[in-house]
PDB file of all heavy atoms in Angstrom:
ATOM      1  N   ALA N 149      41.732 -18.803  53.748  1.00 56.00           N
ATOM      2  CA  ALA N 149      41.500 -17.784  54.762  1.00 56.00           C
ATOM      3  C   ALA N 149      40.891 -16.529  54.145  1.00 56.00           C
ATOM      4  O   ALA N 149      39.990 -15.916  54.722  1.00 56.00           O
ATOM      5  CB  ALA N 149      42.815 -17.451  55.463  1.00 56.00           C
ATOM      6  N   ALA N 150      41.376 -16.147  52.970  1.00 56.00           N
ATOM      7  CA  ALA N 150      40.823 -14.960  52.304  1.00 56.00           C
ATOM      8  C   ALA N 150      39.364 -15.175  51.916  1.00 56.00           C
ATOM      9  O   ALA N 150      38.526 -14.286  52.072  1.00 56.00           O
ATOM     10  CB  ALA N 150      41.649 -14.630  51.068  1.00 56.00           C
ATOM     11  N   ALA N 151      39.056 -16.371  51.406  1.00 49.00           N
ATOM     12  CA  ALA N 151      37.664 -16.660  51.046  1.00 49.00           C
ATOM     13  C   ALA N 151      36.764 -16.655  52.272  1.00 49.00           C
ATOM     14  O   ALA N 151      35.637 -16.154  52.234  1.00 49.00           O
ATOM     15  CB  ALA N 151      37.588 -18.015  50.330  1.00 49.00           C
ATOM     16  N   GLY N 152      37.258 -17.207  53.376  1.00 54.00           N
ATOM     17  CA  GLY N 152      36.474 -17.184  54.603  1.00 54.00           C
ATOM     18  C   GLY N 152      36.257 -15.782  55.124  1.00 54.00           C
ATOM     19  O   GLY N 152      35.179 -15.448  55.622  1.00 54.00           O
ATOM     20  N   ALA N 153      37.274 -14.930  55.007  1.00 56.00           N
ATOM     21  CA  ALA N 153      37.130 -13.551  55.454  1.00 56.00           C
ATOM     22  C   ALA N 153      36.095 -12.798  54.627  1.00 56.00           C
ATOM     23  O   ALA N 153      35.293 -12.034  55.157  1.00 56.00           O
ATOM     24  CB  ALA N 153      38.484 -12.846  55.380  1.00 56.00           C
ATOM     25  N   LEU N 154      36.110 -13.031  53.310  1.00 53.00           N
ATOM     26  CA  LEU N 154      35.101 -12.393  52.458  1.00 53.00           C
ATOM     27  C   LEU N 154      33.702 -12.857  52.821  1.00 53.00           C
ATOM     28  O   LEU N 154      32.745 -12.082  52.796  1.00 53.00           O
ATOM     29  CB  LEU N 154      35.400 -12.694  50.990  1.00 53.00           C
ATOM     30  CG  LEU N 154      36.626 -11.987  50.389  1.00 53.00           C
ATOM     31  CD1 LEU N 154      36.848 -12.465  48.958  1.00 53.00           C
ATOM     32  CD2 LEU N 154      36.449 -10.480  50.424  1.00 53.00           C
ATOM     33  N   ARG N 155      33.578 -14.145  53.141  1.00 55.00           N
ATOM     34  CA  ARG N 155      32.260 -14.670  53.511  1.00 55.00           C
ATOM     35  C   ARG N 155      31.772 -14.041  54.809  1.00 55.00           C
ATOM     36  O   ARG N 155      30.588 -13.739  54.961  1.00 55.00           O
ATOM     37  CB  ARG N 155      32.333 -16.194  53.634  1.00 55.00           C
ATOM     38  CG  ARG N 155      30.976 -16.842  53.858  1.00 55.00           C
ATOM     39  CD  ARG N 155      31.084 -18.344  54.033  1.00 55.00           C
ATOM     40  NE  ARG N 155      31.532 -18.985  52.821  1.00 55.00           N
ATOM     41  CZ  ARG N 155      32.736 -19.544  52.678  1.00 55.00           C
ATOM     42  NH1 ARG N 155      33.604 -19.514  53.674  1.00 55.00           N
ATOM     43  NH2 ARG N 155      33.071 -20.117  51.541  1.00 55.00           N
ATOM     44  N   LEU N 156      32.676 -13.836  55.766  1.00 54.00           N
ATOM     45  CA  LEU N 156      32.289 -13.256  57.047  1.00 54.00           C
ATOM     46  C   LEU N 156      31.948 -11.779  56.916  1.00 54.00           C
ATOM     47  O   LEU N 156      31.043 -11.276  57.588  1.00 54.00           O
ATOM     48  CB  LEU N 156      33.418 -13.440  58.067  1.00 54.00           C
ATOM     49  CG  LEU N 156      33.677 -14.884  58.519  1.00 54.00           C
ATOM     50  CD1 LEU N 156      34.888 -14.928  59.450  1.00 54.00           C
ATOM     51  CD2 LEU N 156      32.450 -15.458  59.206  1.00 54.00           C
ATOM     52  N   ARG N 157      32.658 -11.072  56.035  1.00 55.00           N
ATOM     53  CA  ARG N 157      32.402  -9.641  55.874  1.00 55.00           C
ATOM     54  C   ARG N 157      31.126  -9.359  55.102  1.00 55.00           C
ATOM     55  O   ARG N 157      30.598  -8.252  55.137  1.00 55.00           O
ATOM     56  CB  ARG N 157      33.583  -8.985  55.156  1.00 55.00           C
ATOM     57  CG  ARG N 157      34.849  -8.892  55.998  1.00 55.00           C
ATOM     58  CD  ARG N 157      35.927  -8.154  55.250  1.00 55.00           C
ATOM     59  NE  ARG N 157      35.501  -6.791  54.927  1.00 55.00           N
ATOM     60  CZ  ARG N 157      36.214  -5.955  54.187  1.00 55.00           C
ATOM     61  NH1 ARG N 157      37.367  -6.349  53.677  1.00 55.00           N
ATOM     62  NH2 ARG N 157      35.773  -4.740  53.939  1.00 55.00           N
ATOM     63  N   ARG N 158      30.627 -10.351  54.353  1.00 50.00           N
ATOM     64  CA  ARG N 158      29.387 -10.176  53.590  1.00 50.00           C
ATOM     65  C   ARG N 158      29.494  -9.030  52.607  1.00 50.00           C
ATOM     66  O   ARG N 158      28.556  -8.228  52.438  1.00 50.00           O
ATOM     67  CB  ARG N 158      28.198  -9.941  54.523  1.00 50.00           C
ATOM     68  CG  ARG N 158      27.964 -11.047  55.521  1.00 50.00           C
ATOM     69  CD  ARG N 158      27.511 -12.320  54.853  1.00 50.00           C
ATOM     70  NE  ARG N 158      27.237 -13.368  55.817  1.00 50.00           N
ATOM     71  CZ  ARG N 158      26.870 -14.614  55.512  1.00 50.00           C
ATOM     72  NH1 ARG N 158      26.736 -14.938  54.239  1.00 50.00           N
ATOM     73  NH2 ARG N 158      26.644 -15.502  56.438  1.00 50.00           N
ATOM     74  N   THR N 159      30.651  -8.923  51.943  1.00 50.00           N
ATOM     75  CA  THR N 159      30.817  -7.838  50.974  1.00 50.00           C
ATOM     76  C   THR N 159      30.265  -8.201  49.612  1.00 50.00           C
ATOM     77  O   THR N 159      30.158  -7.341  48.744  1.00 50.00           O
ATOM     78  CB  THR N 159      32.303  -7.488  50.833  1.00 50.00           C
ATOM     79  OG1 THR N 159      33.028  -8.662  50.449  1.00 50.00           O
ATOM     80  CG2 THR N 159      32.853  -6.968  52.158  1.00 50.00           C
ATOM     81  N   ARG N 160      29.897  -9.485  49.384  1.00 49.00           N
ATOM     82  CA  ARG N 160      29.395  -9.897  48.098  1.00 49.00           C
ATOM     83  C   ARG N 160      27.899  -9.658  48.032  1.00 49.00           C
ATOM     84  O   ARG N 160      27.234  -9.530  49.051  1.00 49.00           O
ATOM     85  CB  ARG N 160      29.680 -11.391  47.853  1.00 49.00           C
ATOM     86  CG  ARG N 160      31.150 -11.706  47.805  1.00 49.00           C
ATOM     87  CD  ARG N 160      31.388 -13.213  47.749  1.00 49.00           C
ATOM     88  NE  ARG N 160      30.937 -13.861  48.965  1.00 49.00           N
ATOM     89  CZ  ARG N 160      29.853 -14.605  49.056  1.00 49.00           C
ATOM     90  NH1 ARG N 160      29.089 -14.797  48.006  1.00 49.00           N
ATOM     91  NH2 ARG N 160      29.529 -15.166  50.201  1.00 49.00           N
ATOM     92  N   PRO N 161      27.309  -9.591  46.828  1.00 50.00           N
ATOM     93  CA  PRO N 161      25.861  -9.471  46.712  1.00 50.00           C
ATOM     94  C   PRO N 161      25.156 -10.641  47.372  1.00 50.00           C
ATOM     95  O   PRO N 161      25.714 -11.742  47.506  1.00 50.00           O
ATOM     96  CB  PRO N 161      25.628  -9.463  45.189  1.00 50.00           C
ATOM     97  CG  PRO N 161      26.923  -9.005  44.612  1.00 50.00           C
ATOM     98  CD  PRO N 161      27.989  -9.520  45.530  1.00 50.00           C
ATOM     99  N   ALA N 162      23.926 -10.417  47.787  1.00 50.00           N
ATOM    100  CA  ALA N 162      23.194 -11.440  48.531  1.00 50.00           C
ATOM    101  C   ALA N 162      22.974 -12.699  47.713  1.00 50.00           C
ATOM    102  O   ALA N 162      22.925 -13.805  48.252  1.00 50.00           O
ATOM    103  CB  ALA N 162      21.851 -10.880  49.014  1.00 50.00           C
ATOM    104  N   ASP N 163      22.825 -12.552  46.375  1.00 48.00           N
ATOM    105  CA  ASP N 163      22.543 -13.711  45.541  1.00 48.00           C
ATOM    106  C   ASP N 163      23.811 -14.345  44.980  1.00 48.00           C
ATOM    107  O   ASP N 163      23.725 -15.283  44.197  1.00 48.00           O
ATOM    108  CB  ASP N 163      21.620 -13.318  44.385  1.00 48.00           C
ATOM    109  CG  ASP N 163      22.225 -12.211  43.519  1.00 48.00           C
ATOM    110  OD1 ASP N 163      23.191 -11.578  43.980  1.00 48.00           O
ATOM    111  OD2 ASP N 163      21.699 -11.991  42.419  1.00 48.00           O
ATOM    112  N   ALA N 164      24.987 -13.848  45.360  1.00 51.00           N
ATOM    113  CA  ALA N 164      26.233 -14.413  44.848  1.00 51.00           C
ATOM    114  C   ALA N 164      26.553 -15.697  45.600  1.00 51.00           C
ATOM    115  O   ALA N 164      26.450 -15.744  46.830  1.00 51.00           O
ATOM    116  CB  ALA N 164      27.376 -13.419  44.997  1.00 51.00           C
TER     117      ALA N 164
END
Side-chain angles (χ1 to χ4, degrees):
L154 289 176
R155 187 182 294 110
L156 291 176
R157 289 184 60 185
R158 302 292 182 183
T159 57
R160 297 172 295 107
D163 58 345

